[in-house]
Amino acid sequence: MVDASAASTYLPPLDFWGVLSTWVFEPVPIILTAWIGGLYLLGVRALRARGDSWPVARTISFVVLGLGSFVFATSSGLGAYDTTLLSVHMVQHMVLSMVVPLALALGAPVTLALRTLPAAPRRWLLVVLHSRLARVLTFPPLVLALYVVSPWALYYSGWYPLTLESTYWHEAMHLHLVLVGAMFFWPLMGIDPVPGRVGYPFRVLITVLTLPFHAFLGVTIMGQETLIAGEHYLALREGPMGAWLPDALDDQHLAGGILWGSGDLIGLVFFGVLFTQWVRSSMAEARREDRRLDRLEAQEAARVARVSAG
């Protein structure tokens, strides 16, 4: 297996169709996707075999949107060119850190596991979910800080250049983006019974708080004149691809714009999902309260009727 920088040496000019037609198959993403997707589908099959239902939308969200986006981000043209163009890497970054975790959370895999696992593995899963470590890793202020600080640490330390030189660290970065995104979005979605879930007002507040941080980082990258991983990107422009590669600083400014615009867009979509859930939850609570009051009213009317009859 060659390192991440060497893999980009022989790539042709990138266009839209190149993103769709160029594929690189690294073993880690493919094996992870196959195992996780297979286990999820086995769980759905087990539910249906015993006559229980499972929403098709959840399966589509987890398998097609979540795992499919993970494979697309790491194995399509985004994966092939992510060490060649910072702008392509930034698209990949946003897919892995926001789109994939959101789609996986909507698939409710923890709920599916609790409904289908045998007794002993289910107990182990419940022990993990109620452990102190799980509560710490899903503590909202801590997760918010980790989600906000992580991209700054990636691009303004030696971490990102290291991912361009090492396949191991490159793949580790992909998994890191997904895991941090999952830690952030999973409790906020509130579908699975994971620690760290809070009320809808606080979920909306946390979502709103993340928007300026993405924008600020994007604007910072757009405005700076110092190249991120400059040695790597300048070396590429001295090689065979130098004839078609854009100016490294222009590409970096484009990457900052992608981070800013896509972060705000996905954040606003998530805000809309949360607000819709909040409204539906409030309406369901209102209906339950109406039914409770109706029962009390009926009981009181029955009591009055008995007293009158007596």
Side-chain angles (χ1 to χ4, degrees):
M1 186 181 295
V2 297
D3 65 41
S5 60
S8 63
T9 304
Y10 310 103
L11 291 174
L14 177 65
D15 55 23
F16 175 77
W17 294 111
V19 174
L20 301 179
S21 62
T22 304
W23 289 83
V24 289
F25 293 100
E26 294 291 345
V28 173
I30 299 301
I31 293 172
L32 278 177
T33 301
W35 270 99
I36 295 173
L39 290 172
Y40 188 94
L41 292 175
L42 283 175
V44 174
R45 180 182 178 184
L47 269 184
R48 292 180 176 173
R50 71 188 190 202
D52 293 337
S53 62
W54 184 255
V56 175
R58 288 187 178 180
T59 303
I60 292 174
S61 178
F62 190 89
V63 177
V64 179
L65 298 180
L67 296 179
S69 295
F70 179 71
V71 171
F72 184 78
T74 56
S75 300
S76 71
L78 295 182
Y81 286 81
D82 67 342
T83 61
T84 303
L85 292 164
L86 183 61
S87 55
V88 172
H89 160 79
M90 201 60 74
V91 174
Q92 181 192 67
H93 176 131
M94 299 310 295
V95 172
L96 292 175
S97 65
M98 299 190 79
V99 176
V100 173
L102 272 172
L104 295 180
L106 287 171
V110 176
T111 301
L112 179 63
L114 290 173
R115 292 181 61 183
T116 57
L117 284 174
R122 187 187 304 117
R123 285 196 298 270
W124 299 337
L125 177 57
L126 287 172
V127 168
V128 171
L129 291 175
H130 292 94
S131 67
R132 179 174 298 179
L133 178 62
R135 291 195 297 271
V136 169
L137 292 178
T138 56
F139 182 55
L142 175 64
V143 175
L144 173 62
L146 180 62
Y147 188 70
V148 168
V149 171
S150 179
W152 287 89
L154 174 62
Y155 298 116
Y156 289 98
S157 70
W159 182 8
Y160 182 66
L162 182 62
T163 69
L164 298 172
E165 300 166 359
S166 165
T167 298
Y168 172 81
W169 288 108
H170 193 68
E171 298 297 342
M173 175 189 64
H174 294 160
L175 296 179
H176 168 83
L177 292 174
V178 174
L179 289 175
V180 172
M183 290 168 58
F184 178 75
F185 286 110
W186 226 290
L188 293 183
M189 289 304 302
I191 298 176
D192 272 330
V194 296
R197 291 190 300 175
V198 294
Y200 280 105
F202 196 58
R203 295 184 203 179
V204 171
L205 175 62
I206 291 177
T207 304
V208 171
L209 287 176
T210 62
L211 297 179
F213 290 106
H214 269 120
F216 184 52
L217 177 57
V219 170
T220 300
I221 293 176
M222 289 176 65
Q224 76 178 49
E225 298 301 316
T226 302
L227 285 174
I228 297 172
E231 182 178 347
H232 171 85
Y233 288 115
L234 291 177
L236 289 178
R237 282 154 179 80
E238 295 174 358
M241 292 187 296
W244 68 264
L245 282 173
D247 179 77
L249 199 56
D250 290 342
D251 185 61
Q252 179 171 298
H253 292 163
L254 175 60
I258 291 170
L259 176 61
W260 176 14
S262 61
D264 282 354
L265 178 61
I266 298 173
L268 289 174
V269 170
F270 180 56
F271 177 85
V273 171
L274 275 185
F275 187 77
T276 302
Q277 287 183 333
W278 189 1
V279 171
R280 289 179 176 176
S281 176
S282 298
M283 293 175 66
E285 180 64 28
R287 288 193 294 269
R288 287 193 294 269
E289 182 65 15
D290 288 342
R291 289 194 295 268
R292 187 184 71 84
L293 293 175
D294 289 342
R295 286 195 300 269
L296 291 176
E297 185 177 346
Q299 292 169 2
E300 179 63 17
R303 186 189 67 80
V304 171
R306 286 195 301 271
V307 170
S308 300

